[in-house]
């Protein structure tokens, strides 16, 4: 419900103000009596004072207090807006038991935080601060306690399955012996069925595995289950981490604000990241399911057994767990391909964030609403920092440090300082300067210059680096950071002239000399994207072509192609020139090189995204025109298609995968390259092959690739209708239908398409997946969203305002569509400002969206 009272200026919370909670919580007992509009929650909490007498402050929001007592003596307490204070004077100075009964209303909880109902099912989301919407409690991650939970079914009989964290005791109680913070609490109740399996840990303990879904979805859990078992084994072999309860459960829910949640022993997932069948899920969906199942499972150690002292330390669990899931996916599939995909994501989301008004350090120093800090910077850059640490100290020392971390901090709520200290202790390295990566926001720019002095018998080559990190909100001056650059030197025929090495930049300006070289080398810098930086070097097209053809580091080979494509596109944009033949030949060569992994070839052939180009232009202080970018990119796609026409058909045929669909990486890679070929062919054949593929496809990957190709050339009308007729009963597939129509609409049609779809009977705007598929897709169509009329901005803002009243978290997150507004021309900036101010001025706007829009506007 919208708060009618005048908005209060929300208060910022600062890292420097941290103080420990004055009580230890020895045990939490919870009893639930479920009912949609009036669920009763009884809590029994054992507190032990840590020191001198102090007030007991408990957090609580949207609760009706029925009764409260200390050691069975009733208390007369009045709740304020955010909880309750029991004065020190009413507390004994020895351990005591707090009991309380509160009433909550899950059916009215549209924010999807706390205990809420999703299509008749009860479920919870407590991270970061949702537990306080369930009962009065010190809702902070450094308060860790064992929990016992009893759930009484809804008297309507609609909740036969009752789940919570930990092990079932047999008498209807869930016992979680591992002390945990309240944000990991979970409860699920509803008509659910389980797909069951088991796992034997390396020390021989049997763990029951259950994936709970709605009746009818049991057939779509096999891949998630398999990914779970592989994750459990991988954490044992790669990190020495074993699972620690008798049961591990996953529940799939339809209405969820994010991807998934790592509640102890009871992960809750957006159904999109659990349910898959060949007919309904794409290769990309399978890959995401594998990665997210792994991510949430890995949190059992990095996040749950060892958690965060306060929310400023969020990257301690998130950066590390992302890094671990990336390693896992690389091991399961291809490291080269995974790294390229991860860097593309990093640039698309994190570099974009770092370059705009929302830039913040991996460990922020203040926030108003913590939910606004589950960002690409905390997650993805947080993972990059760990990758750099591993590159600097080496894999063995990294493992040694991790072992020490688990030994030393098991059961604790920790800080980034604790994390860094274990690596200092394990290796004897001083990581003081390295730790700047956690404190300084912004993407470092590293400019490279080089000198060659030829001498008889071997020349000397000097590389000089200059690093600088641009100013970001609240941080004007930055110190030089430790930048590890994996480096090779190539001969013109592609030979490696030296063994690869890691150059460690620590100064603002720094040179490295290589002697006795037989020829002037071509440097291959930042291999594997060993540091998350923007590297600039005035290299020649010829150098890039050589690296694109020969670099032994697959990431840099990809990167050389990417730089070539961007340079060509930017030149086409500025002077209307055509794509040079040498570039088209190079693409052709990679496309047809059968020694290369098809998945790699698909990535190497893909043109940079429109947003990537806009960002690259902005990095060079140019003003991007999203419509011109779209038109030029399409022109290049056509030129590539024309140039490669003779090989596209054979390539398309060669990449067909015979037999029934299997999701593994090799087959997926072939389908990816086939899909790239189809997209190009569609520019030549008017969509004939795509139509045939659409009609014949027996799996969603191929059906969707055909559908996308048709939409991409403006021939999607019939397929749109056919797709709807076939899939209208499947929510997850329908999300794809909504999303593709908007994201692939021609610039001039995107806003009207999006608007029309918001009027569609299946547009359930209260479902975050559907909202993102429709409105989020508009923001993913830059030329449409940034239509100079400003209509895209207005439509988007209208819907943000509407959603904010129900679901602040998803609204605030989606407002980041506007974070790039300063890149654009005056007209667009003015129109965006008007919309941002309209949102900001909405009476009763949530704290979440107020903070985000305020930060975006202020820059
Ligand atoms: N830890 C959760 C994210 C919670 C987001 C709260 N707004 C999922 C994850 O990162 O694994
Ligand atoms: Zn996580």
């Amino acid at each position: 419900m919208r708060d009618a009272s005048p908005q209060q200026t929300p208060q910022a919370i600062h890292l420097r103000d941290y103080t420990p909670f004055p009580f230890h919580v020895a045990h939490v007992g919870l009893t639930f009596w479920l009912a949609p509009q009036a669920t009763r929650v009884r809590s029994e909490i054992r507190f032990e004072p840590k020191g001198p007498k102090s007030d007991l402050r408990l957090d609580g929001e949207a609760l009706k207090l029925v009764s409260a007592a200390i050691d069975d003596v009733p208390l007369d307490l009045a709740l304020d807006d955010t909880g309750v204070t029991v004065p020190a004077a009413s507390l004994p100075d020895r351990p005591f038991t707090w009991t309380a009964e509160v009433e909550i209303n899950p059916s009215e909880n549209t924010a999807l935080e706390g205990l809420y109902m999703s299509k008749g099912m009860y479920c919870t989301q407590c991270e970061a601060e949702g537990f306080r919407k369930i009962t009065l409690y010190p809702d902070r991650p450094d308060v860790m306690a064992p929990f016992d939970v009893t759930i009484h079914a809804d008297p309507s009989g609609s909740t036969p399955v009752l789940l919570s964290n930990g092990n079932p005791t047999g008498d209807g109680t869930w016992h979680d012996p591992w002390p945990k913070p309240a944000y990991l609490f979970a409860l699920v109740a509803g008509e659910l069925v389980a797909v069951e399996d088991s796992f034997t840990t390396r020390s021989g303990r049997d763990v029951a595995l259950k994936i709970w879904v709605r009746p009818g979805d049991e057939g779509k859990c096999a891949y998630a289950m398999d990914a779970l078992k592989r994750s459990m084994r991988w954490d044992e072999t790669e990190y020495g981490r074993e699972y620690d309860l008798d049961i591990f459960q996953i529940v799939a829910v339809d209405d969820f604000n994010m991807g998934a949640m790592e509640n102890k022993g009871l992960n809750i997932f957006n159904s999109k990241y659990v349910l898959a069948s060949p007919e309904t899920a794409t290769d990309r969906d399978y890959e995401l399911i594998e990665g997210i199942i792994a991510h949430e499972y890995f949190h059992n150690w990095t996040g749950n057994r060892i958690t965060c002292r306060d929310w400023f330390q969020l990257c301690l669990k998130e950066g590390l767990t992302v890094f671990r899931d990336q390693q896992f996916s690389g091991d399961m599939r291809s490291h080269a391909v995974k790294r390229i995909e991860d860097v593309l994501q990093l640039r698309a989301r994190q570099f974009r964030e770092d370059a705009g008004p929302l830039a913040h350090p991996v460990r922020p120093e203040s926030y108003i609403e913590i939910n606004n800090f589950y960002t690409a910077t905390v997650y993805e850059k947080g993972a990059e920092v760990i990758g750099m640490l591993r590159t600097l100290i080496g894999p063995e020392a990294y493992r040694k440090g991790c072992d020490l971390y688990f030994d030393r901090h098991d059961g604790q709520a920790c800080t980034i300082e604790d994390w860094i200290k274990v690596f200092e202790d394990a290796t004897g390295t001083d990581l003081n300067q390295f730790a700047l990566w956690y404190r300084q926001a912004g993407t470092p720019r590293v400019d490279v210059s080089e000198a060659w002095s030829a001498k008889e018998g071997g020349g000397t080559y000097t590389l000089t680096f200059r690093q600088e990190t641009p100013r970001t909100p609240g941080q004007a001056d930055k110190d030089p950071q430790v930048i590890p650059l994996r480096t090779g030197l190539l001969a013109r025929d592609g030979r490696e002239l030296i063994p690869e090495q890691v150059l460690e930049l620590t100064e603002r300006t720094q040179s490295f000399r290589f002697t006795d070289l037989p020829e002037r080398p071509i440097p291959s810098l930042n291999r594997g994207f060993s540091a998350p930086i923007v590297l600039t070097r005035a290299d020649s097209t010829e150098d890039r072509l050589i690296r694109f053809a020969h670099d032994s580091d697959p990431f840099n080979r990809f990167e050389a192609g990417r730089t070539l494509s961007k340079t060509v596109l930017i030149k086409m944009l500025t002077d209307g020139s055509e794509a040079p033949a040498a570039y088209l030949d190079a693409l052709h060569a990679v496309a047809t090189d059968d020694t290369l992994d098809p998945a790699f070839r698909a990535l190497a052939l893909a043109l940079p995204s429109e947003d990537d180009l806009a960002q690259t232009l902005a990095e060079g202080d140019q003003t991007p025109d999203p419509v011109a970018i779209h038109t030029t990119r399409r022109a290049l796609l056509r030129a590539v298609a024309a140039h490669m026409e003779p090989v596209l058909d054979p390539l398309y045929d060669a990449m067909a995968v015979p037999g029934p669909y299997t999701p593994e990486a090799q087959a997926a890679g072939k389908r990816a390259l086939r899909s790239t070929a189809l997209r190009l062919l569609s520019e030549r054949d008017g969509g004939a092959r795509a139509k045939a593929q659409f009609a014949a496809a027996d799996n969603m990957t191929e059906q969707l690739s055909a559908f996308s190709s048709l939409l991409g050339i403006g021939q999607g009308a019939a397929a749109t209708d056919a797709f709807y007729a076939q899939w209208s009963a499947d929510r997850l597939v329908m999300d794809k239908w909504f999303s593709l129509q908007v994201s692939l609409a021609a610039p001039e049609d995107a806003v009207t398409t999006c608007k029309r779809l918001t009027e569609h009977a299946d547009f359930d705007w209260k479902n975050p997946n559907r909202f993102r598929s429709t409105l989020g897709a508009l923001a993913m169509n830059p030329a449409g969203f940034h239509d100079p009329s400003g209509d895209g901005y207005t439509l988007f803002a209208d819907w943000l305002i509407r959603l904010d009243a129900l679901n602040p978290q998803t609204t605030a997150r989606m407002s980041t569509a506007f974070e790039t507004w300063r890149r654009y021309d005056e007209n667009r900036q003015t129109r965006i400002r008007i919309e941002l101010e309209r949102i900001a001025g909405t009476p009763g706007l949530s704290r979440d969206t107020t903070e985000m829009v305020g930060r975006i506007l202020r820059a």
Side-chain angles (χ1 to χ4, degrees):
M1 283 293 280
R2 210 162 270 250
D3 181 359
S5 62
Q7 259 158 269
Q8 292 176 351
T9 321
Q11 285 297 302
I13 321 250
H14 296 272
L15 167 60
R16 58 168 187 266
D17 293 340
Y18 173 82
T19 47
F21 189 62
F23 300 85
H24 170 68
V25 177
H27 183 261
V28 178
L30 296 173
T31 311
F32 289 81
W33 289 268
L34 297 175
Q37 274 139 33
T39 289
R40 286 268 173 139
V41 187
R42 186 186 144 82
S43 58
E44 193 173 317
I45 307 167
R46 188 74 182 160
F47 287 102
E48 298 172 357
K50 283 186 193 160
K53 259 192 151 182
S54 80
D55 293 351
L56 174 65
R57 176 72 193 168
L58 301 175
D59 303 301
E61 270 172 35
L63 305 172
K64 241 192 249 164
L65 181 60
V66 180
S67 65
I70 283 183
D71 290 338
D72 295 327
V73 180
L75 293 169
D76 189 18
L77 293 172
L79 300 190
D80 56 45
D81 280 354
T82 59
V84 71
T85 302
V86 188
S90 345
L91 296 172
D93 45 16
R94 46 171 173 74
F96 59 89
T97 300
W98 155 273
T99 46
E101 205 169 307
V102 301
E103 191 185 294
I104 53 181
N105 185 339
S107 68
E108 262 196 10
N109 183 348
T110 56
L112 314 184
E113 191 189 47
L115 176 67
Y116 65 94
M117 301 207 71
S118 165
K119 321 250 166 344
M121 170 176 153
Y122 293 83
C123 79
T124 53
Q125 171 54 39
C126 293
E127 188 177 1
E129 299 180 331
F131 191 71
R132 64 191 60 187
K133 294 179 163 181
I134 295 175
T135 194
L136 289 161
Y137 193 74
D139 188 7
R140 39 186 288 168
D142 58 346
V143 172
M144 300 172 82
F147 279 58
D148 283 284
V149 179
T150 308
I151 311 164
H152 297 282
D154 186 334
S156 75
S158 60
T159 52
V161 174
L162 307 168
L163 310 174
S164 190
N165 319 84
N167 298 320
T169 56
D171 61 1
T173 299
W174 290 91
H175 172 62
D176 187 358
W178 301 105
K180 69 164 176 290
Y183 81 83
L184 292 172
F185 168 79
L187 177 154
V188 173
E191 280 183 57
L192 294 162
V193 287
V195 170
E196 305 197 20
D197 207 325
S198 69
F199 179 84
T200 307
T201 68
R202 63 171 178 181
S203 66
R205 280 187 318 100
D206 285 330
V207 181
L209 308 178
K210 299 190 184 187
I211 300 184
W212 295 94
V213 294
R214 278 174 206 294
D217 284 336
E218 303 90 318
K220 294 185 178 168
C221 302
Y223 189 75
M225 185 65 91
D226 182 57
L228 173 61
K229 290 191 286 183
R230 286 184 282 122
S231 306
M232 295 177 85
R233 192 62 76 208
W234 187 90
D235 214 13
E236 291 182 346
T237 56
E238 302 307 310
Y239 279 84
R241 298 297 108 201
E242 212 175 303
Y243 187 61
D244 55 0
L245 290 167
D246 303 336
I247 180 168
F248 185 83
Q249 314 194 77
I250 290 174
V251 186
V253 304
D254 288 335
D255 300 288
F256 207 62
N257 277 335
M258 61 261 175
M261 177 64 210
E262 70 264 23
N263 314 299
K264 181 77 188 190
L266 180 58
N267 287 186
I268 298 182
F269 270 62
N270 188 323
S271 52
K272 162 183 174 137
Y273 298 120
V274 175
L275 304 179
S277 70
E279 300 72 35
T280 58
T282 61
D283 288 331
R284 177 74 185 144
D285 293 327
Y286 278 96
E287 189 183 342
L288 286 167
I289 289 171
E290 178 180 67
I292 296 176
I293 291 270
H295 179 97
E296 306 311 332
Y297 175 73
F298 296 157
H299 268 314
N300 192 56
W301 275 93
T302 51
N304 301 3
R305 285 286 284 259
I306 303 180
T307 195
C308 303
R309 185 193 73 175
D310 53 67
W311 291 119
F312 296 102
Q313 320 295 330
L314 186 56
C315 63
L316 178 73
K317 74 176 179 82
E318 294 304 347
L320 176 54
T321 307
V322 171
F323 181 68
R324 276 151 52 70
D325 84 54
Q326 291 174 344
Q327 286 182 304
F328 168 78
S329 295
D331 281 354
M332 296 296 124
R333 292 163 179 260
S334 142
H335 282 282
V337 168
K338 176 67 179 154
R339 186 62 187 146
I340 295 168
E341 288 173 354
D342 288 341
V343 175
L344 286 172
Q345 276 293 315
L346 182 79
R347 283 187 174 138
R349 300 177 357 98
Q350 200 280 323
F351 280 25
R352 168 183 153 119
E353 182 165 79
D354 241 358
L358 300 175
H360 57 275
V362 171
R363 181 171 69 182
E365 264 150 43
S366 76
Y367 61 77
I368 289 173
E369 170 52 60
I370 185 56
N371 282 323
N372 288 337
F373 282 84
Y374 287 73
T375 60
T377 297
V378 169
Y379 276 65
E380 269 85 44
K381 189 174 178 182
E384 291 298 316
V385 174
I386 292 172
M388 282 188 287
L389 176 64
R390 188 169 178 274
T391 301
L392 286 165
I393 64 176
E396 286 85 30
Y398 170 74
R399 175 65 198 267
K400 212 168 127 199
C402 288
D403 288 347
L404 183 57
Y405 178 65
F406 295 121
D407 279 354
R408 189 182 279 176
H409 295 295
D410 186 12
Q412 298 177 6
C414 295
T415 60
I416 286 303
E417 284 72 15
D418 295 327
W419 167 254
I420 291 173
K421 185 81 170 52
V422 294
F423 291 95
E424 292 191 322
D425 290 354
T427 63
T429 319
D430 177 351
L431 294 171
N432 209 26
Q433 187 187 6
F434 181 79
L436 279 176
W437 278 104
Y438 288 101
R439 297 201 299 272
Q440 287 190 169
T443 308
R445 308 283 140 121
V446 177
D447 191 54
V448 194
S449 57
E450 54 213 284
W452 168 249
S453 92
K455 268 197 220 96
E456 234 173 90
T460 299
Y461 177 68
T462 309
L463 280 168
T464 301
F465 299 92
R466 195 186 146 71
Q467 61 160 298
E468 196 167 325
T469 303
R471 58 182 306 146
T472 48
Q475 285 189 344
D477 302 311
K478 322 269 171 140
D479 290 325
Q481 293 180 193
V482 183
I483 298 179
L485 293 181
R486 280 179 46 208
T487 300
L489 298 180
L490 301 184
R492 311 209 82 71
D493 62 4
R495 259 178 318 123
E496 302 272 331
L497 293 173
I498 56 159
E500 181 181 295
Q501 44 185 276
V502 179
L503 307 181
E504 216 177 297
L505 314 191
T506 53
E507 324 260 320
R508 216 170 276 289
T509 306
Q510 206 167 346
S511 295
F512 296 86
R513 252 170 30 139
F514 303 86
T515 52
D516 302 323
L517 296 170
E519 63 179 87
R520 182 187 177 124
I522 297 168
S524 172
L525 300 166
N526 205 19
R527 284 184 158 175
F529 209 62
S530 56
I533 56 166
V534 174
L535 188 80
T536 48
R537 173 173 170 256
D539 45 356
S540 66
T541 302
E542 194 204 344
D543 279 17
R544 289 176 186 157
L545 288 167
I546 291 173
R547 282 187 286 121
F548 190 39
H550 297 296
D551 202 320
S552 65
D553 178 66
F555 177 80
N556 267 12
R557 194 161 173 190
F558 162 84
E559 182 77 337
R562 184 69 17 164
T563 316
L564 281 166
S565 299
K566 280 188 185 171
T567 314
V568 167
L569 276 160
I570 291 173
K571 186 149 188 325
M572 287 169 75
L573 261 170
T574 25
D575 64 10
S577 59
E578 293 196 345
Y583 162 74
L584 296 171
D585 286 342
L587 282 188
H588 181 282
V590 168
T592 52
D593 181 346
D594 286 330
T595 65
L596 293 171
D597 177 2
F600 174 85
R601 286 192 263 164
L603 287 165
L605 276 184
L607 298 181
S609 73
E610 293 173 25
D611 197 58
D612 190 2
L613 279 168
Q615 175 153 319
T616 307
L617 286 166
E619 275 162 13
D621 290 327
Q622 284 174 272
T623 304
D625 174 351
V627 179
I629 288 176
H630 176 84
T631 314
T632 308
R633 189 177 176 280
R634 177 88 190 270
L636 181 57
L637 198 67
R638 287 191 172 131
V640 174
H643 189 82
M644 289 192 15
E645 184 155 28
V647 294
L648 287 175
D649 226 9
L651 187 63
Y652 179 72
D653 290 340
M655 290 303 130
V657 186
Y661 174 94
T662 55
E664 33 73 49
Q666 275 217 322
K670 289 179 101 178
R671 282 187 292 266
L673 184 52
R674 190 166 201 245
S675 162
T676 309
L678 181 67
R679 178 66 190 83
L680 292 167
L681 278 166
S682 300
E683 294 290 350
R684 308 296 299 169
D685 71 1
R689 284 183 195 72
K691 282 178 194 154
Q693 179 173 314
F694 184 87
D698 67 352
N699 64 77
M700 184 48 68
T701 308
E702 291 186 322
Q703 189 174 14
L704 216 61
S705 113
F707 187 23
S708 306
S709 280
L710 290 169
L711 287 166
I713 58 164
Q715 297 289 324
T720 302
D721 293 345
F723 196 94
Y724 183 80
Q726 187 180 354
W727 292 115
S728 60
D730 188 306
R731 300 171 64 87
L732 295 176
V733 179
M734 282 315 291
D735 286 334
K736 302 181 194 301
W737 183 79
F738 275 86
S739 159
L740 283 185
Q741 288 181 74
V742 180
S743 62
L744 294 177
E748 61 281 11
D749 299 333
V751 178
T752 44
T753 305
C754 181
K755 187 153 195 297
R756 182 168 47 73
L757 287 174
T758 61
E759 288 152 10
H760 193 282
D762 294 317
F763 179 63
D764 171 8
W765 63 279
K766 296 173 187 170
N767 173 256
N769 288 359
R770 189 58 51 87
F771 192 93
R772 281 189 286 259
S773 296
T774 311
L775 275 309
L778 179 59
M780 279 161 48
N781 182 334
F785 182 55
H786 293 285
D787 187 89
S789 67
D791 291 351
Y793 309 145
T794 307
L795 178 67
F796 198 80
D798 285 348
W799 277 102
L800 288 190
I801 290 169
R802 193 154 172 201
L803 186 66
D804 187 68
L806 259 59
N807 186 336
Q809 241 182 79
T810 293
T811 309
R813 152 105 7 163
M814 292 195 58
S815 68
T816 57
F818 289 121
E819 76 183 322
T820 55
W821 70 298
R822 292 292 198 184
R823 274 184 195 161
Y824 297 104
D825 56 82
E826 218 183 294
N827 166 50
R828 290 186 168 97
Q829 285 199 34
T830 307
R831 292 179 189 278
I832 295 176
R833 175 188 287 282
I834 290 169
E835 298 305 334
L836 286 169
E837 282 170 352
R838 182 161 69 95
I839 300 170
T842 304
L845 193 73
S846 69
R847 184 169 57 159
D848 308 54
T849 308
T850 303
E851 179 184 27
M852 291 297 275
V853 172
R855 283 164 64 205
I856 296 173
L857 267 170
R858 235 173 287 129

